[in-house]
Amino acid sequence: MSPSQPTVLVVDDEPAQRDLLSYNLESSGFRVIEAADGEEALMLLAEDSPDLVVLDWMLPSVSGIEVCRQIKSRAETRNLPIIMISARADEGDRVRGLETGADDYVTKPYSVAELMARVRSQLRRTRPATVGETLEFEDIILDAESYKVFRAEKPLKLGPTEFRLLSTFMEKPGRVWSREQLLDRVWGRDIYVDTRTVDVHIGRLRKALCQHGGEDPVRTVRGAGYALG
């Protein structure tokens, strides 16, 4: 039982660099999608919903700086963390990358171990459950590292899917998630699941959260989806 696997988009035109990054990310438990240039990266962003982008500055067709600018200019991807990688080590280049919207800037050559730490640091901010953080909402505590959930200090029994649903809700309390978004986040795009399955597991989550009493914290938003609180 674990939180849903975070997805990292690796954008680099050098196959050896992509392979190195992908291997280390997958070994660290991340799902990886790859793009060889800026145009492909923007296309994949529209098709998939990555949780973080590792982006090379020097790319054919559309530069990494332009990809970064476009990501940060769109409301739906504005909060997507970007780690920019570049051989440009000058302070001016670093400042330009960060001012364009990059959340972190790593110069080549870099330590793979350090880069993995930076990836986890960014995900700790946007998807804390995936890196073992403890989440709290009202009287509910979710310990992502030990996969335990408590409400009013009493342990709750949740199935794996219900745990992933709850971790998704608790990462962004108040956000309304559509059934399709929950399918992508909790089940993944590689698995076909009918949207009605979401309703079934939401029902199981509600029952689990109220097994010791208390009000149902999961809110149904008619025509839109579900939210916590």
Side-chain angles (χ1 to χ4, degrees):
M1 180 168 61
S2 64
S4 49
Q5 190 180 35
T7 299
V8 177
L9 170 59
V10 173
V11 189
D12 199 308
D13 62 324
E14 297 182 15
Q17 284 294 313
R18 283 201 315 275
D19 290 345
L20 175 66
L21 286 168
S22 297
Y23 173 79
N24 282 279
L25 286 163
E26 289 172 348
S27 297
S28 298
F30 302 109
R31 172 178 172 258
V32 178
I33 52 177
E34 300 179 11
D37 57 50
E39 287 184 355
E40 186 180 10
L42 293 171
M43 180 185 69
L44 287 173
L45 280 165
E47 294 177 351
D48 213 312
S49 300
D51 299 292
L52 182 141
V53 181
V54 177
L55 177 64
D56 189 41
W57 178 310
M58 299 297 291
L59 295 172
S61 66
V62 181
S63 71
I65 282 287
E66 177 60 20
V67 171
C68 182
R69 188 194 66 77
Q70 290 197 35
I71 290 173
K72 295 299 183 176
S73 67
R74 299 172 183 175
E76 62 272 21
T77 55
R78 186 172 299 142
N79 296 319
L80 180 62
I82 299 173
I83 298 177
M84 184 165 286
I85 296 177
S86 176
R88 298 169 178 257
D90 292 343
E91 182 182 4
D93 292 321
R94 181 185 295 270
V95 169
R96 183 184 174 197
L98 294 172
E99 287 185 341
T100 303
D103 298 273
D104 202 349
Y105 190 98
V106 179
T107 56
K108 298 179 181 179
Y110 54 84
S111 159
V112 172
E114 180 185 354
L115 181 61
M116 294 302 107
R118 289 173 183 258
V119 167
R120 286 189 289 270
S121 177
Q122 291 298 326
L123 288 173
R124 189 172 292 115
R125 177 174 59 84
T126 56
R127 290 201 61 189
T130 64
V131 290
E133 295 290 295
T134 297
L135 308 180
E136 296 187 25
F137 175 78
E138 295 182 351
D139 61 348
I140 303 170
I141 297 175
L142 182 148
D143 187 332
E145 188 170 8
S146 63
Y147 308 121
K148 293 180 180 179
V149 180
F150 300 87
R151 186 171 191 188
E153 300 184 352
K154 295 179 180 179
L156 303 181
K157 294 182 179 179
L158 272 70
T161 301
E162 288 69 50
F163 185 91
R164 293 194 298 270
L165 274 170
L166 182 60
S167 68
T168 297
F169 284 134
M170 290 186 69
E171 284 176 340
K172 297 181 185 292
R175 169 176 170 169
V176 178
W177 296 85
S178 70
R179 291 170 177 82
E180 291 76 14
Q181 289 171 332
L182 289 172
L183 284 174
D184 287 346
R185 178 62 67 95
V186 176
W187 281 266
R189 285 179 172 261
D190 299 330
I191 300 175
Y192 174 75
V193 180
D194 191 278
T195 54
R196 289 173 294 183
T197 302
V198 175
D199 300 329
V200 172
H201 286 279
I202 289 289
R204 292 177 181 173
L205 174 60
R206 283 174 156 152
K207 184 177 180 180
L209 289 173
C210 298
Q211 61 191 259
H212 299 305
E215 295 184 358
D216 178 8
V218 179
R219 178 166 51 98
T220 299
V221 182
R222 185 171 295 181
Y226 299 100
L228 184 67

